[in-house]
Amino acid sequence: VKKDAPTVEAGAGIGADAEISDEFIPLCEKAVRRDGTVPIKLIQPGWGTSGYYSKDVLQNDGPKVFTKGLKMFWDHPTPTEEAARPERSLRDLAAELVSDAKFDEKGAAGPGLYADAKVFSPFKETINELAPHIGVSIRGLGKAKTGTAEGRTGPLIEKIAIAKSADFLTSPGAGGEIVQ
């Protein structure tokens, strides 16, 4: 960029002294796309906070439970919040899935369950700013048995039966993220 060249802010109109031709495209790097959606990696195979998620469990159960319309909240509820308001608060409703999850072995952020989410207006700028620093974590119900995987013993998730939500968190346990 030349020292005296005009600058154009994202979303702003083109300045009168700037020359633009058909060979240029707008460059604006943000997590949230122009249509308000964002690509999400919900979870990856391996150890998470609740236990070990195998590729097979994520492939088989993930697309059945992490479906279009699943709500995404700003943080997981504390146990007290969950007991007092299991339906969650509208103040924390940040997004919802607009596609069913699909397992992608060669996903942009490695193997895992991916979906697109529509981010609601009050959270768009926050997501754009925080996307590199936060992640996504699933909430649901499943079945597990004790066993060993990857040299570690603990709960091996055998089935994901119900998805309650997928939430934005500071430290996700199983590789969930906003795909940049």
Side-chain angles (χ1 to χ4, degrees):
V1 176
K2 293 192 293 183
K3 184 178 177 184
D4 297 327
T7 59
V8 179
E9 291 185 34
I14 303 301
D17 55 350
E19 291 185 33
I20 301 296
S21 71
D22 291 338
E23 64 187 85
F24 293 102
I25 62 169
L27 302 176
C28 183
E29 302 300 326
K30 292 184 176 185
V32 180
R33 300 173 184 135
R34 287 181 185 222
D35 67 356
T37 64
V38 64
I40 300 288
K41 180 179 181 185
L42 293 162
I43 187 171
Q44 67 188 16
W47 284 97
T49 306
S50 299
Y52 181 82
Y53 297 88
S54 70
K55 174 183 163 184
D56 289 341
V57 166
L58 295 181
Q59 278 181 312
N60 294 333
D61 297 340
K64 296 174 190 169
V65 298
F66 297 102
T67 57
K68 181 179 179 178
L70 182 71
K71 304 292 186 242
M72 297 185 72
F73 292 90
W74 200 248
D75 286 325
H76 283 332
T78 65
T80 303
E81 291 168 334
E82 176 131 28
R85 190 188 294 228
E87 71 279 6
R88 308 289 301 269
S89 172
L90 288 173
R91 288 183 299 274
D92 299 327
L93 182 58
E96 77 174 358
L97 296 187
V98 292
S99 68
D100 294 342
K102 292 183 176 137
F103 189 86
D104 188 348
E105 184 71 44
K106 297 180 183 194
L113 273 178
Y114 289 84
D116 283 340
K118 177 178 178 35
V119 179
F120 300 128
S121 294
F123 293 91
K124 284 181 183 176
E125 287 307 313
T126 304
I127 295 280
N128 276 329
E129 184 176 348
L130 294 178
H133 311 286
I134 62 175
V136 174
S137 181
I138 65 166
R139 285 182 63 245
L141 299 171
K143 292 184 179 184
K145 68 177 181 181
T146 301
T148 303
E150 298 178 2
R152 183 173 156 189
T153 300
L156 304 181
I157 309 302
E158 295 180 299
K159 180 173 186 59
I160 304 170
I162 296 170
K164 290 182 160 187
S165 66
D167 303 332
F168 297 101
L169 295 180
T170 56
S171 298
E177 64 182 275
I178 301 164
V179 180
Q180 301 272 328

